[in-house]
Amino acid sequence: MNSFIRKFKKKDIVDDSGRISWISPSNIALVKYWGKFGDQLPSNPSISLTLNEAKTTMDFSWSPKDKDSTEVQLDFYFEGKKNESFQEKISKYLVKHFDYFPFLRYISLEIESTNTFPHSAGIASSASSMSALALGLCTIESEVFGLDLSQEEIKRKATFMARLASGSACRSIYGGVVSWGDFEHQLINSTNEIAGEVLELDEVFKTYQDTILIVDSGQKAVSSRAGHALMTEHPFSQIRFSNARTNIEKIIKAMQTADLLEFCNIVESEALELHGLMMNSNPSFILMRPNTLAIIERIRDFRERTSLPVCFTLDAGPNVHILYPENISEQVKEFIISELSSFTESNKIIYDHVGTGPERYL
Ligand code: PMV
């Protein structure tokens, strides 16, 4: 998609120093992206809820370089301290995608990043941080060269650029319910290269709560990169990619008609399929912990007992996300405190909900 590569010369610069800030949220997938090809293209479409509380704040400032060059000049600070390892990772990304950010030739960058959630909470920060990074860089391009792009135009390039940094981060550029991937459907406007909002679903999904039970805040046993790679030779990969497509079709229908119990069935089956795929891959990984299973069993039992539409989902790790509409919050929170909190690591519970997406605040 070369329309995102714009050519500029030094004389086009209208603002060679400045500051901007973005705050960008994490997201939780309902239908999971697991497996990729080419340059960060997904093997199947996915759909997610953008969260509200788990966010990254990124402050960007830029100033002229002493001499124009293709060398990337970046200083990166995380939670107030210089962070060499993040700086190296981001510098590599900037070198690789230099053509998309032509201002890098003329200016040096300073980035300060903080998360609203603790680093060791067991929450993946790549979606919020890489979406904030992409939004910042695309905004700087607009400011440096006086493009006067609208936020919509900035987000369109940012979803493309976030994907190149960390696949699922492309969905965090938009609020509410978001899809990513090619899929023939009236409500889907994403492609394999960019994410898009899924509109015209039942309003109840704007109220969805995501309570995250931290079972283990340790490092992930398998990185996303290694996890996606496992799908290349996986014996069930084709079945998986086709199941995901069927589930996208089904979940959109359930979300249009507010069939919340059907929604629960699809979401849980997606989470377990993701973990099943990892158990069946070579090498194989069991990422759930005994307490993950204990929580899952109790959620299913609670749903059966009460007929309330509460379900769980999982990322590629042991922590459990509990999803439910706001109007049953009281009963669900009581259930979580009385029956589930003992299975968490030192009572680590994060109360989040669907949010409206990233915001620029400077
Ligand atoms: O975006 P990545 O490469 O970190 O992969 C994310 C994969 C899952 O979180 C397991 C699923 C998803 O769609 O977010």
Side-chain angles (χ1 to χ4, degrees):
M1 232 196 232
N2 282 337
S3 61
F4 291 132
I5 299 184
R6 306 181 179 99
K7 302 260 186 234
F8 295 99
K9 299 230 158 57
K10 190 163 189 171
K11 63 175 174 46
D12 300 320
I13 296 177
V14 299
D15 203 350
D16 67 3
S17 56
R19 285 191 62 190
I20 56 143
S21 296
W22 275 93
I23 183 154
S24 192
S26 187
N27 70 76
I28 179 71
L30 304 171
V31 172
K32 311 286 179 182
Y33 147 59
W34 200 239
K36 61 179 172 182
F37 65 98
D39 202 358
Q40 298 270 94
L41 299 168
S43 299
N44 65 263
S46 57
I47 196 160
S48 57
L49 300 177
T50 294
L51 298 179
N52 193 64
E53 301 299 329
K55 296 185 198 180
T56 296
T57 300
M58 246 185 219
D59 301 321
F60 301 79
S61 53
W62 67 97
S63 52
K65 267 184 183 171
D66 293 339
K67 200 166 170 279
D68 309 349
S69 71
T70 54
E71 184 203 344
V72 168
Q73 284 181 0
L74 169 71
D75 276 316
F76 188 88
Y77 297 84
F78 180 65
E79 319 255 277
K81 282 202 209 102
K82 179 103 175 148
N83 190 308
E84 302 285 350
S85 96
F86 286 161
Q87 178 169 308
E88 199 183 308
K89 210 176 139 201
I90 293 172
S91 296
K92 265 194 194 156
Y93 164 81
L94 295 176
V95 168
K96 183 165 178 206
H97 302 296
F98 197 88
D99 288 349
Y100 288 102
F101 302 120
F103 55 86
L104 291 171
R105 186 176 287 276
Y106 311 110
I107 63 163
S108 58
L109 265 184
E110 190 177 295
I111 302 178
E112 284 194 52
S113 181
T114 50
N115 292 337
T116 53
F117 47 94
H119 194 47
S120 60
I123 302 199
S125 59
S126 63
S128 58
S129 57
M130 293 302 113
S131 55
L133 177 72
L135 285 161
L137 295 168
C138 295
T139 307
I140 295 173
E141 180 186 29
S142 177
E143 304 262 315
V144 168
F145 297 118
L147 300 179
D148 210 16
L149 297 179
S150 66
Q151 285 221 353
E152 262 328 290
E153 288 168 304
I154 285 173
K155 285 186 176 178
R156 223 177 136 68
K157 178 162 173 174
T159 179
F160 179 88
M161 296 311 311
R163 185 199 96 235
L164 292 173
S166 166
S168 61
C170 72
R171 296 186 309 236
S172 278
I173 299 293
Y174 298 105
V177 183
V178 181
S179 70
W180 168 35
D182 289 338
F183 193 71
E184 208 45 58
H185 191 288
Q186 216 186 329
L187 298 193
I188 297 233
N189 57 42
S190 60
T191 68
N192 279 349
E193 296 185 308
I194 57 171
E197 286 168 295
V198 187
L199 303 170
E200 294 171 48
L201 300 170
D202 192 276
E203 294 285 305
V204 71
F205 292 100
K206 292 192 177 143
T207 78
Y208 254 65
Q209 309 290 302
D210 177 9
T211 301
I212 310 163
L213 304 191
I214 308 300
V215 168
D216 184 346
S217 63
Q219 276 275 324
K220 289 206 275 183
V222 57
S223 69
S224 299
R225 181 199 293 260
H228 291 293
L230 293 173
M231 289 306 287
T232 316
E233 302 283 308
H234 200 290
F236 302 143
S237 61
Q238 291 317 314
I239 299 170
R240 162 59 196 158
F241 302 146
S242 127
N243 281 354
R245 302 184 85 81
T246 308
N247 283 342
I248 294 261
E249 187 83 47
K250 281 197 201 163
I251 207 165
I252 292 180
K253 196 156 174 220
M255 292 173 90
Q256 280 177 303
T257 55
D259 186 344
L260 303 189
L261 289 172
E262 168 71 352
F263 174 85
C264 287
N265 289 335
I266 302 162
V267 167
E268 291 190 353
S269 134
E270 273 290 316
L272 295 176
E273 193 160 305
L274 170 71
H275 281 252
L277 288 162
M278 280 183 276
M279 289 187 206
N280 281 303
S281 57
N282 185 11
S284 135
F285 294 94
I286 302 176
L287 300 185
M288 288 191 236
R289 294 275 171 275
N291 281 352
T292 313
L293 267 181
I295 293 170
I296 287 177
E297 281 175 349
R298 277 158 184 81
I299 291 173
R300 288 190 156 178
D301 176 62
F302 179 77
R303 188 166 68 237
E304 237 156 70
R305 260 188 294 148
T306 61
S307 299
L308 292 174
V310 186
C311 60
F312 67 85
T313 188
L314 306 163
D315 258 335
N319 304 321
V320 184
H321 291 244
I322 307 182
L323 303 179
Y324 51 97
E326 191 182 21
N327 64 358
I328 59 167
S329 277
E330 213 172 297
Q331 296 103 300
V332 179
K333 280 182 183 163
E334 209 179 286
F335 158 66
I336 291 174
I337 300 295
S338 64
E339 295 188 44
L340 305 182
S341 59
S342 60
F343 298 109
T344 62
E345 185 186 270
S346 353
N347 269 323
K348 274 194 199 150
I349 300 178
I350 297 170
Y351 293 93
D352 210 333
H353 59 93
V354 171
T356 50
E359 265 170 47
R360 182 178 168 182
Y361 68 94
L362 178 73

mmCIF file with all atom_site columns, all heavy atoms in Angstrom, residues 181-198:
data_model
loop_
_atom_site.group_PDB
_atom_site.id
_atom_site.type_symbol
_atom_site.label_atom_id
_atom_site.label_alt_id
_atom_site.label_comp_id
_atom_site.label_asym_id
_atom_site.label_entity_id
_atom_site.label_seq_id
_atom_site.pdbx_PDB_ins_code
_atom_site.Cartn_x
_atom_site.Cartn_y
_atom_site.Cartn_z
_atom_site.occupancy
_atom_site.B_iso_or_equiv
_atom_site.pdbx_formal_charge
_atom_site.auth_seq_id
_atom_site.auth_comp_id
_atom_site.auth_asym_id
_atom_site.auth_atom_id
_atom_site.pdbx_PDB_model_num
ATOM 1   N N   . GLY A 1 181 ? -8.502  -7.778  8.831  1.00 0.00 ? 181 GLY A N   1
ATOM 2   C CA  . GLY A 1 181 ? -8.384  -8.884  7.892  1.00 0.00 ? 181 GLY A CA  1
ATOM 3   C C   . GLY A 1 181 ? -9.430  -8.784  6.787  1.00 0.00 ? 181 GLY A C   1
ATOM 4   O O   . GLY A 1 181 ? -10.446 -8.112  6.930  1.00 0.00 ? 181 GLY A O   1
ATOM 5   N N   . ASP A 1 182 ? -9.137  -9.463  5.691  1.00 0.00 ? 182 ASP A N   1
ATOM 6   C CA  . ASP A 1 182 ? -10.081 -9.517  4.557  1.00 0.00 ? 182 ASP A CA  1
ATOM 7   C C   . ASP A 1 182 ? -11.255 -10.382 4.952  1.00 0.00 ? 182 ASP A C   1
ATOM 8   O O   . ASP A 1 182 ? -11.059 -11.509 5.423  1.00 0.00 ? 182 ASP A O   1
ATOM 9   C CB  . ASP A 1 182 ? -9.417  -10.219 3.358  1.00 0.00 ? 182 ASP A CB  1
ATOM 10  C CG  . ASP A 1 182 ? -8.322  -9.366  2.725  1.00 0.00 ? 182 ASP A CG  1
ATOM 11  O OD1 . ASP A 1 182 ? -8.348  -8.138  2.909  1.00 0.00 ? 182 ASP A OD1 1
ATOM 12  O OD2 . ASP A 1 182 ? -7.454  -9.954  2.054  1.00 0.00 ? 182 ASP A OD2 1
ATOM 13  N N   . PHE A 1 183 ? -12.448 -9.866  4.752  1.00 0.00 ? 183 PHE A N   1
ATOM 14  C CA  . PHE A 1 183 ? -13.628 -10.707 4.991  1.00 0.00 ? 183 PHE A CA  1
ATOM 15  C C   . PHE A 1 183 ? -14.812 -10.068 4.286  1.00 0.00 ? 183 PHE A C   1
ATOM 16  O O   . PHE A 1 183 ? -15.115 -8.899  4.503  1.00 0.00 ? 183 PHE A O   1
ATOM 17  C CB  . PHE A 1 183 ? -13.914 -10.832 6.496  1.00 0.00 ? 183 PHE A CB  1
ATOM 18  C CG  . PHE A 1 183 ? -14.896 -11.919 6.821  1.00 0.00 ? 183 PHE A CG  1
ATOM 19  C CD1 . PHE A 1 183 ? -14.546 -13.253 6.703  1.00 0.00 ? 183 PHE A CD1 1
ATOM 20  C CD2 . PHE A 1 183 ? -16.186 -11.600 7.227  1.00 0.00 ? 183 PHE A CD2 1
ATOM 21  C CE1 . PHE A 1 183 ? -15.459 -14.265 6.996  1.00 0.00 ? 183 PHE A CE1 1
ATOM 22  C CE2 . PHE A 1 183 ? -17.107 -12.607 7.521  1.00 0.00 ? 183 PHE A CE2 1
ATOM 23  C CZ  . PHE A 1 183 ? -16.727 -13.932 7.418  1.00 0.00 ? 183 PHE A CZ  1
ATOM 24  N N   . GLU A 1 184 ? -15.456 -10.863 3.443  1.00 0.00 ? 184 GLU A N   1
ATOM 25  C CA  . GLU A 1 184 ? -16.583 -10.374 2.654  1.00 0.00 ? 184 GLU A CA  1
ATOM 26  C C   . GLU A 1 184 ? -17.800 -10.270 3.558  1.00 0.00 ? 184 GLU A C   1
ATOM 27  O O   . GLU A 1 184 ? -18.396 -11.296 3.903  1.00 0.00 ? 184 GLU A O   1
ATOM 28  C CB  . GLU A 1 184 ? -16.807 -11.437 1.551  1.00 0.00 ? 184 GLU A CB  1
ATOM 29  C CG  . GLU A 1 184 ? -17.400 -11.012 0.247  1.00 0.00 ? 184 GLU A CG  1
ATOM 30  C CD  . GLU A 1 184 ? -16.841 -9.745  -0.376 1.00 0.00 ? 184 GLU A CD  1
ATOM 31  O OE1 . GLU A 1 184 ? -15.617 -9.665  -0.648 1.00 0.00 ? 184 GLU A OE1 1
ATOM 32  O OE2 . GLU A 1 184 ? -17.667 -8.840  -0.578 1.00 0.00 ? 184 GLU A OE2 1
ATOM 33  N N   . HIS A 1 185 ? -18.130 -9.075  4.005  1.00 0.00 ? 185 HIS A N   1
ATOM 34  C CA  . HIS A 1 185 ? -19.313 -8.893  4.863  1.00 0.00 ? 185 HIS A CA  1
ATOM 35  C C   . HIS A 1 185 ? -19.677 -7.421  4.848  1.00 0.00 ? 185 HIS A C   1
ATOM 36  O O   . HIS A 1 185 ? -18.789 -6.560  4.880  1.00 0.00 ? 185 HIS A O   1
ATOM 37  C CB  . HIS A 1 185 ? -19.015 -9.341  6.297  1.00 0.00 ? 185 HIS A CB  1
ATOM 38  C CG  . HIS A 1 185 ? -20.219 -9.447  7.168  1.00 0.00 ? 185 HIS A CG  1
ATOM 39  N ND1 . HIS A 1 185 ? -20.910 -8.354  7.633  1.00 0.00 ? 185 HIS A ND1 1
ATOM 40  C CD2 . HIS A 1 185 ? -20.863 -10.523 7.658  1.00 0.00 ? 185 HIS A CD2 1
ATOM 41  C CE1 . HIS A 1 185 ? -21.926 -8.758  8.372  1.00 0.00 ? 185 HIS A CE1 1
ATOM 42  N NE2 . HIS A 1 185 ? -21.925 -10.078 8.404  1.00 0.00 ? 185 HIS A NE2 1
ATOM 43  N N   . GLN A 1 186 ? -20.968 -7.181  4.830  1.00 0.00 ? 186 GLN A N   1
ATOM 44  C CA  . GLN A 1 186 ? -21.486 -5.813  4.784  1.00 0.00 ? 186 GLN A CA  1
ATOM 45  C C   . GLN A 1 186 ? -20.921 -4.903  5.897  1.00 0.00 ? 186 GLN A C   1
ATOM 46  O O   . GLN A 1 186 ? -20.707 -3.718  5.683  1.00 0.00 ? 186 GLN A O   1
ATOM 47  C CB  . GLN A 1 186 ? -22.982 -5.934  5.016  1.00 0.00 ? 186 GLN A CB  1
ATOM 48  C CG  . GLN A 1 186 ? -23.850 -4.970  4.264  1.00 0.00 ? 186 GLN A CG  1
ATOM 49  C CD  . GLN A 1 186 ? -25.288 -5.176  4.750  1.00 0.00 ? 186 GLN A CD  1
ATOM 50  O OE1 . GLN A 1 186 ? -25.665 -6.290  5.128  1.00 0.00 ? 186 GLN A OE1 1
ATOM 51  N NE2 . GLN A 1 186 ? -26.050 -4.101  4.762  1.00 0.00 ? 186 GLN A NE2 1
ATOM 52  N N   . LEU A 1 187 ? -20.703 -5.470  7.092  1.00 0.00 ? 187 LEU A N   1
ATOM 53  C CA  . LEU A 1 187 ? -20.270 -4.645  8.225  1.00 0.00 ? 187 LEU A CA  1
ATOM 54  C C   . LEU A 1 187 ? -18.750 -4.562  8.380  1.00 0.00 ? 187 LEU A C   1
ATOM 55  O O   . LEU A 1 187 ? -18.249 -3.895  9.264  1.00 0.00 ? 187 LEU A O   1
ATOM 56  C CB  . LEU A 1 187 ? -20.854 -5.171  9.537  1.00 0.00 ? 187 LEU A CB  1
ATOM 57  C CG  . LEU A 1 187 ? -22.370 -5.166  9.683  1.00 0.00 ? 187 LEU A CG  1
ATOM 58  C CD1 . LEU A 1 187 ? -22.755 -5.411  11.136 1.00 0.00 ? 187 LEU A CD1 1
ATOM 59  C CD2 . LEU A 1 187 ? -22.972 -3.846  9.228  1.00 0.00 ? 187 LEU A CD2 1
ATOM 60  N N   . ILE A 1 188 ? -18.032 -5.298  7.529  1.00 0.00 ? 188 ILE A N   1
ATOM 61  C CA  . ILE A 1 188 ? -16.571 -5.327  7.705  1.00 0.00 ? 188 ILE A CA  1
ATOM 62  C C   . ILE A 1 188 ? -15.886 -4.509  6.626  1.00 0.00 ? 188 ILE A C   1
ATOM 63  O O   . ILE A 1 188 ? -16.113 -4.734  5.430  1.00 0.00 ? 188 ILE A O   1
ATOM 64  C CB  . ILE A 1 188 ? -16.067 -6.790  7.700  1.00 0.00 ? 188 ILE A CB  1
ATOM 65  C CG1 . ILE A 1 188 ? -16.687 -7.497  8.883  1.00 0.00 ? 188 ILE A CG1 1
ATOM 66  C CG2 . ILE A 1 188 ? -14.543 -6.871  7.668  1.00 0.00 ? 188 ILE A CG2 1
ATOM 67  C CD1 . ILE A 1 188 ? -15.804 -8.198  9.808  1.00 0.00 ? 188 ILE A CD1 1
ATOM 68  N N   . ASN A 1 189 ? -15.073 -3.541  7.067  1.00 0.00 ? 189 ASN A N   1
ATOM 69  C CA  . ASN A 1 189 ? -14.341 -2.764  6.067  1.00 0.00 ? 189 ASN A CA  1
ATOM 70  C C   . ASN A 1 189 ? -12.832 -2.855  6.265  1.00 0.00 ? 189 ASN A C   1
ATOM 71  O O   . ASN A 1 189 ? -12.080 -2.073  5.711  1.00 0.00 ? 189 ASN A O   1
ATOM 72  C CB  . ASN A 1 189 ? -14.827 -1.311  6.034  1.00 0.00 ? 189 ASN A CB  1
ATOM 73  C CG  . ASN A 1 189 ? -14.694 -0.653  7.395  1.00 0.00 ? 189 ASN A CG  1
ATOM 74  O OD1 . ASN A 1 189 ? -13.674 -0.838  8.074  1.00 0.00 ? 189 ASN A OD1 1
ATOM 75  N ND2 . ASN A 1 189 ? -15.708 0.074   7.821  1.00 0.00 ? 189 ASN A ND2 1
ATOM 76  N N   . SER A 1 190 ? -12.397 -3.832  7.081  1.00 0.00 ? 190 SER A N   1
ATOM 77  C CA  . SER A 1 190 ? -10.957 -4.017  7.244  1.00 0.00 ? 190 SER A CA  1
ATOM 78  C C   . SER A 1 190 ? -10.406 -4.814  6.068  1.00 0.00 ? 190 SER A C   1
ATOM 79  O O   . SER A 1 190 ? -11.160 -5.432  5.315  1.00 0.00 ? 190 SER A O   1
ATOM 80  C CB  . SER A 1 190 ? -10.671 -4.767  8.548  1.00 0.00 ? 190 SER A CB  1
ATOM 81  O OG  . SER A 1 190 ? -11.288 -6.032  8.537  1.00 0.00 ? 190 SER A OG  1
ATOM 82  N N   . THR A 1 191 ? -9.086  -4.791  5.940  1.00 0.00 ? 191 THR A N   1
ATOM 83  C CA  . THR A 1 191 ? -8.396  -5.651  4.979  1.00 0.00 ? 191 THR A CA  1
ATOM 84  C C   . THR A 1 191 ? -7.263  -6.341  5.746  1.00 0.00 ? 191 THR A C   1
ATOM 85  O O   . THR A 1 191 ? -7.094  -6.100  6.940  1.00 0.00 ? 191 THR A O   1
ATOM 86  C CB  . THR A 1 191 ? -7.775  -4.829  3.824  1.00 0.00 ? 191 THR A CB  1
ATOM 87  O OG1 . THR A 1 191 ? -6.698  -4.051  4.376  1.00 0.00 ? 191 THR A OG1 1
ATOM 88  C CG2 . THR A 1 191 ? -8.793  -3.909  3.164  1.00 0.00 ? 191 THR A CG2 1
ATOM 89  N N   . ASN A 1 192 ? -6.480  -7.138  5.041  1.00 0.00 ? 192 ASN A N   1
ATOM 90  C CA  . ASN A 1 192 ? -5.341  -7.762  5.718  1.00 0.00 ? 192 ASN A CA  1
ATOM 91  C C   . ASN A 1 192 ? -4.323  -6.707  6.157  1.00 0.00 ? 192 ASN A C   1
ATOM 92  O O   . ASN A 1 192 ? -3.504  -6.949  7.031  1.00 0.00 ? 192 ASN A O   1
ATOM 93  C CB  . ASN A 1 192 ? -4.647  -8.771  4.795  1.00 0.00 ? 192 ASN A CB  1
ATOM 94  C CG  . ASN A 1 192 ? -5.384  -10.099 4.780  1.00 0.00 ? 192 ASN A CG  1
ATOM 95  O OD1 . ASN A 1 192 ? -6.277  -10.318 5.595  1.00 0.00 ? 192 ASN A OD1 1
ATOM 96  N ND2 . ASN A 1 192 ? -5.014  -10.975 3.858  1.00 0.00 ? 192 ASN A ND2 1
ATOM 97  N N   . GLU A 1 193 ? -4.390  -5.525  5.529  1.00 0.00 ? 193 GLU A N   1
ATOM 98  C CA  . GLU A 1 193 ? -3.389  -4.487  5.840  1.00 0.00 ? 193 GLU A CA  1
ATOM 99  C C   . GLU A 1 193 ? -3.828  -3.482  6.885  1.00 0.00 ? 193 GLU A C   1
ATOM 100 O O   . GLU A 1 193 ? -2.993  -2.903  7.572  1.00 0.00 ? 193 GLU A O   1
ATOM 101 C CB  . GLU A 1 193 ? -3.004  -3.754  4.555  1.00 0.00 ? 193 GLU A CB  1
ATOM 102 C CG  . GLU A 1 193 ? -2.327  -4.689  3.576  1.00 0.00 ? 193 GLU A CG  1
ATOM 103 C CD  . GLU A 1 193 ? -1.839  -3.976  2.349  1.00 0.00 ? 193 GLU A CD  1
ATOM 104 O OE1 . GLU A 1 193 ? -2.642  -3.256  1.729  1.00 0.00 ? 193 GLU A OE1 1
ATOM 105 O OE2 . GLU A 1 193 ? -0.657  -4.138  2.013  1.00 0.00 ? 193 GLU A OE2 1
ATOM 106 N N   . ILE A 1 194 ? -5.130  -3.279  7.002  1.00 0.00 ? 194 ILE A N   1
ATOM 107 C CA  . ILE A 1 194 ? -5.613  -2.283  7.974  1.00 0.00 ? 194 ILE A CA  1
ATOM 108 C C   . ILE A 1 194 ? -6.856  -2.777  8.717  1.00 0.00 ? 194 ILE A C   1
ATOM 109 O O   . ILE A 1 194 ? -7.658  -3.547  8.176  1.00 0.00 ? 194 ILE A O   1
ATOM 110 C CB  . ILE A 1 194 ? -5.946  -0.922  7.303  1.00 0.00 ? 194 ILE A CB  1
ATOM 111 C CG1 . ILE A 1 194 ? -6.981  -1.097  6.194  1.00 0.00 ? 194 ILE A CG1 1
ATOM 112 C CG2 . ILE A 1 194 ? -4.714  -0.225  6.774  1.00 0.00 ? 194 ILE A CG2 1
ATOM 113 C CD1 . ILE A 1 194 ? -7.502  0.218   5.643  1.00 0.00 ? 194 ILE A CD1 1
ATOM 114 N N   . ALA A 1 195 ? -6.997  -2.283  9.945  1.00 0.00 ? 195 ALA A N   1
ATOM 115 C CA  . ALA A 1 195 ? -8.185  -2.619  10.736 1.00 0.00 ? 195 ALA A CA  1
ATOM 116 C C   . ALA A 1 195 ? -9.288  -1.592  10.471 1.00 0.00 ? 195 ALA A C   1
ATOM 117 O O   . ALA A 1 195 ? -9.037  -0.544  9.861  1.00 0.00 ? 195 ALA A O   1
ATOM 118 C CB  . ALA A 1 195 ? -7.817  -2.612  12.217 1.00 0.00 ? 195 ALA A CB  1
ATOM 119 N N   . GLY A 1 196 ? -10.502 -1.902  10.912 1.00 0.00 ? 196 GLY A N   1
ATOM 120 C CA  . GLY A 1 196 ? -11.615 -0.950  10.745 1.00 0.00 ? 196 GLY A CA  1
ATOM 121 C C   . GLY A 1 196 ? -12.674 -1.188  11.814 1.00 0.00 ? 196 GLY A C   1
ATOM 122 O O   . GLY A 1 196 ? -12.778 -2.286  12.378 1.00 0.00 ? 196 GLY A O   1
ATOM 123 N N   . GLU A 1 197 ? -13.455 -0.138  12.088 1.00 0.00 ? 197 GLU A N   1
ATOM 124 C CA  . GLU A 1 197 ? -14.527 -0.282  13.089 1.00 0.00 ? 197 GLU A CA  1
ATOM 125 C C   . GLU A 1 197 ? -15.653 -1.134  12.541 1.00 0.00 ? 197 GLU A C   1
ATOM 126 O O   . GLU A 1 197 ? -15.965 -1.056  11.352 1.00 0.00 ? 197 GLU A O   1
ATOM 127 C CB  . GLU A 1 197 ? -15.132 1.097   13.389 1.00 0.00 ? 197 GLU A CB  1
ATOM 128 C CG  . GLU A 1 197 ? -14.269 1.986   14.220 1.00 0.00 ? 197 GLU A CG  1
ATOM 129 C CD  . GLU A 1 197 ? -14.787 3.416   14.221 1.00 0.00 ? 197 GLU A CD  1
ATOM 130 O OE1 . GLU A 1 197 ? -14.782 4.060   13.160 1.00 0.00 ? 197 GLU A OE1 1
ATOM 131 O OE2 . GLU A 1 197 ? -15.208 3.865   15.294 1.00 0.00 ? 197 GLU A OE2 1
ATOM 132 N N   . VAL A 1 198 ? -16.273 -1.928  13.423 1.00 0.00 ? 198 VAL A N   1
ATOM 133 C CA  . VAL A 1 198 ? -17.472 -2.666  13.017 1.00 0.00 ? 198 VAL A CA  1
ATOM 134 C C   . VAL A 1 198 ? -18.655 -1.927  13.645 1.00 0.00 ? 198 VAL A C   1
ATOM 135 O O   . VAL A 1 198 ? -18.824 -1.938  14.866 1.00 0.00 ? 198 VAL A O   1
ATOM 136 C CB  . VAL A 1 198 ? -17.437 -4.134  13.500 1.00 0.00 ? 198 VAL A CB  1
ATOM 137 C CG1 . VAL A 1 198 ? -18.616 -4.907  12.922 1.00 0.00 ? 198 VAL A CG1 1
ATOM 138 C CG2 . VAL A 1 198 ? -16.119 -4.801  13.122 1.00 0.00 ? 198 VAL A CG2 1
#
